[in-house]
């Protein structure tokens, strides 16, 4: 007879063997022991809530998938390196994520950032943004393909006025992006953005075109050309230079910038229209520089106040503020104060619309402008000139802050409180400083007044009102008194040695 302790031990051993067999069985069948119930299994999840997906939904999803598969291999990552060494290179938007927007590299430290590019020829030409490769060392541009192969790239040329550039890698038989027609882009259509944001390669995001013809004033200089396509597809640092494509898989824009307060996506991105890219890239590949035609005028969009002052029924066209000496516009007979209503039959109601249209043309090309002048419309044929053929427009001078000595007899100030404006006669020294023979000096502009809202400031010189020369504040008062509340008056204003510009000001009711 077995003793009780022995029996107890045998029972425990038997239970242990059985328990172990169950545990091993569950592990071997891949069932988590925590969900086992005897010899059964717990079924997780249920049937699909939508058994038959609507054909339109499936078609849209399939379209996204097909476009993403086709386009992704045509977009590359670009790594740009600058040795620093006191060059003072500014950090482009797409470098913010790497360094921070206020980063200043030490002189002996290299700078490195990332962007994107679009393959535009089978033999290795790649389009990107100027700010992605600007300032890179001679051998500091590297391209990473969709399949992870790396190439050193050569800079072919840049066009800072459009923020575009072309680089080249030494290879062939590359997949090439299909370039669409950005003139056909419509607000509301679906688009995909493809690039390498935040070093996340081959990223695809979706959205719609939320606006076209945007001028967001990010390209410096008098000749910056901005006619951006706006989209709410997510674009982040690193996307710049990548493609914005339509639902046919055609590139309609090159992603370039984001509207943001923190250097990250907040809802709006901007792309250079592909039609502009086509012209720029062709010129850069052919000659290493852009051969662009110019009219040779400084222009400003016309708002309703300006339209009223000019005698236009509606706010339309762009006003010519200055005609550049010896430029194409002067040769064609354009004058300051002319309003350009259309170019080649295409309405131009914003300055950047006219700039973008002319940017696609070359020196020697002809364009027909419809002009509003003195209450009549006339046509002017302009033969465009290259920039080197025309005098360069004056660069704005910094204000010195110095005040000339004013003789007591000249101090006869006159205030126009309804406009928030105070003026006095010009001194002889001031006439020399601003290169004007007549006019009145603005001594005060009240904050948020009508004059303030129209961009006037202390130190401006009003040389004309209603196209009549001013020699004293009384002249200005006489002209303003001839108008009633609600009327708009056209002023011609100089600031320093800058060319005179037109300013429309509305007399409050």
């Amino acid at each position: 007879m077995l003793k009780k302790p022995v029996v107890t031990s045998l029972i425990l051993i038997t239970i242990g063997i059985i328990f172990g067999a169950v545990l091993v069985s569950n592990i071997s069948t891949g069932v988590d022991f925590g969900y086992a119930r005897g010899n059964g299994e717990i079924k997780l999840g249920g049937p699909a809530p939508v058994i038959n997906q609507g054909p339109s939904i499936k078609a849209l999803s399939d379209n996204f998938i097909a476009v993403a598969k086709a386009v992704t291999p045509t977009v590359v990552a670009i790594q740009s390196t600058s040795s620093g060494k006191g060059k003072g290179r500014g950090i482009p938007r797409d470098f913010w994520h790497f360094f921070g927007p206020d980063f200043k590299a030490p002189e002996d430290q290299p700078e490195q950032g990332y962007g994107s590019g679009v393959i535009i020829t089978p033999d290795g030409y790649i389009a990107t943004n100027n700010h992605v490769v600007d300032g890179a060392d001679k051998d500091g541009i590297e391209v990473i393909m969709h399949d992870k192969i790396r190439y050193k790239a050569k800079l072919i040329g840049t066009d800072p006025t459009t923020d575009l550039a072309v680089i080249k890698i030494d290879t062939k038989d590359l997949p090439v992006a299909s370039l669409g027609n950005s003139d056909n882009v419509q607000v509301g259509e679906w688009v995909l953005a493809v690039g390498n944001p935040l070093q996340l390669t081959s990223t695809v995001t979706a959205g719609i075109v939320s606006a076209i013809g945007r001028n967001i004033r990010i390209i410096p200089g008098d000749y910056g050309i901005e006619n951006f396509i706006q989209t709410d597809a997510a674009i982040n640092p690193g996307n710049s230079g990548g493609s914005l494509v339509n639902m046919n898989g055609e590139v309609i824009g090159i992603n370039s910038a984001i509207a943001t307060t923190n250097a990250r996506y907040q809802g709006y991105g901007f792309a250079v229209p592909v039609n502009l890219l086509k012209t720029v890239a062709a010129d850069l590949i052919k000659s290493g520089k852009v051969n662009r035609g110019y009219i040779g005028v400084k222009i400003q969009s016309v708002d309703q106040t300006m339209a009223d002052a000019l005698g236009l029924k509606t706010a339309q066209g762009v006003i010519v503020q200055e005609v550049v000496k010896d430029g194409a516009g002067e040769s064609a007979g354009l004058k300051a104060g002319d309003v350009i209503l259309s170019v080649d039959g295409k309405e131009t109601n914003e300055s950047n619309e006219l700039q973008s249209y002319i940017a696609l043309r070359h020196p020697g090309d002809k364009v027909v402008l419809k002009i509003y002048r003195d209450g009549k419309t006339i046509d002017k044929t302009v033969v465009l000139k290259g920039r080197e053929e025309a005098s360069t427009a004056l660069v704005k001078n910094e204000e010195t802050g110095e005040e000339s000595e004013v003789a007591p007899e000249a101090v006869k100030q006159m205030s126009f409180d309804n406009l928030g404006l105070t003026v006095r006669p010009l001194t002889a020294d001031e006439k020399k400083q601003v290169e004007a023979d007549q006019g009145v000096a603005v001594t005060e502009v009240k904050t948020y007044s009508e004059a303030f809202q129209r961009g006037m400031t202390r130190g401006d010189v009003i040389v004309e009102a209603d196209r009549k020369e001013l020699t004293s504040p009384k002249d200005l008062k006489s002209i303003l008194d001839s108008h009633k509340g609600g009327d708009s008056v056209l002023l011609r204003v100089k600031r320093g040695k800058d060319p005179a510009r037109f300013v429309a000001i509305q007399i409050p009711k």
Side-chain angles (χ1 to χ4, degrees):
M1 180 179 293
L2 296 174
K3 295 183 179 179
K4 185 178 291 186
V6 175
V7 173
T8 304
S9 298
L10 290 173
I11 293 172
L12 291 174
I13 291 171
T14 302
I15 293 172
I17 292 172
I18 295 171
F19 183 86
V22 172
L23 177 59
V24 171
S25 175
N26 279 310
I27 292 176
S28 65
T29 57
V31 178
D32 189 323
F33 177 70
Y35 293 102
R37 294 294 185 271
N39 292 325
E41 300 175 7
I42 291 180
K43 185 177 181 181
L44 300 180
V50 179
I51 304 301
N52 296 313
Q53 190 181 73
S56 59
I57 298 297
K58 187 177 188 307
L60 180 62
S61 180
D62 289 345
N63 200 164
F64 278 131
I65 293 169
V67 171
K69 285 182 179 179
V71 172
T72 300
T74 68
V75 178
V76 302
I78 297 176
Q79 181 175 297
S80 176
T81 303
S82 172
S83 59
K85 297 181 181 179
K87 290 181 180 179
R89 178 188 177 200
I91 306 299
R93 289 175 295 281
D94 283 311
F95 292 13
W96 279 352
H97 73 280
F98 197 76
F99 297 108
D102 300 318
F103 175 82
K104 296 294 183 184
E107 292 187 2
D108 59 346
Q109 293 294 320
E111 301 172 7
Q112 194 173 74
Y114 298 85
S116 303
V118 179
I119 302 171
I120 54 177
T121 69
D123 58 345
Y125 285 98
I126 296 169
T128 186
N129 283 133
N130 174 61
H131 76 259
V132 171
V133 296
D134 180 38
D137 293 339
K138 183 177 180 181
D139 296 321
I141 303 174
E142 188 173 31
V143 170
I144 303 95
M145 311 298 286
H146 177 60
D147 57 8
K148 306 298 190 294
I149 297 176
R150 291 175 174 260
Y151 295 92
K152 284 291 185 180
K154 176 184 177 182
L155 180 63
I156 299 301
T158 65
D159 182 32
T161 60
T162 58
D163 194 24
L164 292 172
V166 173
I167 61 177
K168 189 179 188 303
I169 58 177
D170 188 13
T171 187
K172 59 182 180 180
D173 299 327
L174 294 175
V176 179
S178 173
L179 304 185
N181 183 355
S182 50
D183 287 345
N184 295 335
V185 172
Q186 298 185 61
V187 174
E189 70 173 284
W190 279 104
V191 288
L192 298 181
V194 186
N196 306 280
L198 308 174
Q199 300 186 51
L200 301 172
T201 58
S202 302
T203 294
V204 180
T205 56
I208 63 168
V209 172
S210 51
I212 56 177
R214 285 294 196 214
N215 181 358
I216 56 177
R217 298 176 180 84
I218 61 168
I219 298 178
D222 290 336
Y223 291 94
I225 298 167
E226 298 187 16
N227 194 34
F228 292 115
I229 299 169
Q230 180 180 309
T231 177
D232 63 355
I235 294 175
N236 275 292
N239 268 117
S240 274
S243 59
L244 186 70
V245 300
N246 60 22
M247 295 305 286
N248 293 325
E250 299 169 321
V251 178
I252 59 170
I254 299 297
N255 299 317
S256 299
I258 52 177
T260 179
T261 58
N262 63 4
R264 292 294 184 272
Y265 171 74
Q266 288 182 311
Y268 302 106
F270 303 91
V272 178
V274 73
N275 287 3
L276 190 55
L277 168 68
K278 292 175 186 177
T279 300
V280 170
D283 279 356
L284 292 179
I285 292 171
K286 183 178 180 180
S287 61
K289 64 178 182 178
V290 176
N291 189 25
R292 181 171 290 127
Y294 291 89
I295 297 177
V297 291
K298 282 190 174 181
I299 54 177
Q300 176 187 335
S301 301
V302 173
D303 61 13
Q304 189 58 54
T305 301
M306 180 71 78
D308 292 342
L310 292 166
L312 285 165
K313 293 181 180 179
T314 59
Q316 57 180 314
V318 294
I319 186 171
V320 175
Q321 292 282 11
E322 177 197 358
V323 179
V324 177
K325 183 175 176 57
D326 298 326
E330 183 182 67
S331 299
L334 295 185
K335 298 179 180 180
D338 284 348
V339 177
I340 302 173
L341 301 175
S342 68
V343 53
D344 290 341
K346 179 181 175 65
E347 288 187 1
T348 54
N349 293 321
E350 297 292 341
S351 298
N352 61 317
E353 288 180 350
L354 179 59
Q355 285 179 307
S356 298
Y357 185 88
I358 298 300
L360 302 177
R361 273 70 192 167
H362 295 93
D365 290 350
K366 294 181 180 180
V367 295
V368 178
L369 305 180
K370 184 175 288 296
I371 303 294
Y372 174 86
R373 179 190 293 174
D374 298 329
K376 300 177 182 179
T377 57
I378 55 177
D379 287 341
K380 292 287 185 180
T381 298
V382 180
V383 181
L384 302 179
K385 292 184 179 182
R387 197 150 149 193
E388 64 278 1
E389 299 176 59
S391 300
T392 303
L394 293 175
V395 178
K396 290 184 178 180
N397 296 317
E398 295 293 330
E399 293 182 7
T400 62
E402 298 179 357
E403 296 181 6
S404 59
E405 188 174 338
V406 181
E409 61 270 20
V411 182
K412 298 177 181 178
Q413 292 195 145
M414 187 172 291
S415 295
F416 301 91
D417 293 334
N418 58 343
L419 299 176
L421 190 67
T422 300
V423 300
R424 63 165 170 74
L426 285 177
T427 66
D429 285 345
E430 288 172 331
K431 289 179 181 179
K432 291 179 181 178
Q433 289 172 6
V434 300
E435 299 178 345
D437 295 328
Q438 80 289 322
V440 294
V442 176
T443 60
E444 182 184 2
V445 175
K446 293 182 179 179
T447 304
Y448 305 127
S449 66
E450 172 68 11
F452 177 89
Q453 299 291 357
R454 304 305 294 177
M456 298 188 68
T457 186
R458 180 177 180 270
D460 282 349
V461 174
I462 306 173
V463 294
E464 292 180 5
D466 269 354
R467 300 185 184 269
K468 299 180 181 68
E469 292 184 351
L470 302 179
T471 59
S472 70
K474 287 184 178 180
D475 291 342
L476 179 60
K477 183 178 187 302
S478 176
I479 292 171
L480 293 177
D481 286 348
S482 69
H483 291 271
K484 62 182 184 298
D487 287 352
S488 294
V489 179
L490 189 66
L491 307 178
R492 199 153 191 224
V493 180
K494 281 186 66 66
R495 182 171 294 171
K497 294 185 182 296
D498 289 352
R501 71 188 193 281
F502 289 100
V503 175
I505 194 166
Q506 187 177 55
I507 300 173
K509 294 180 179 181

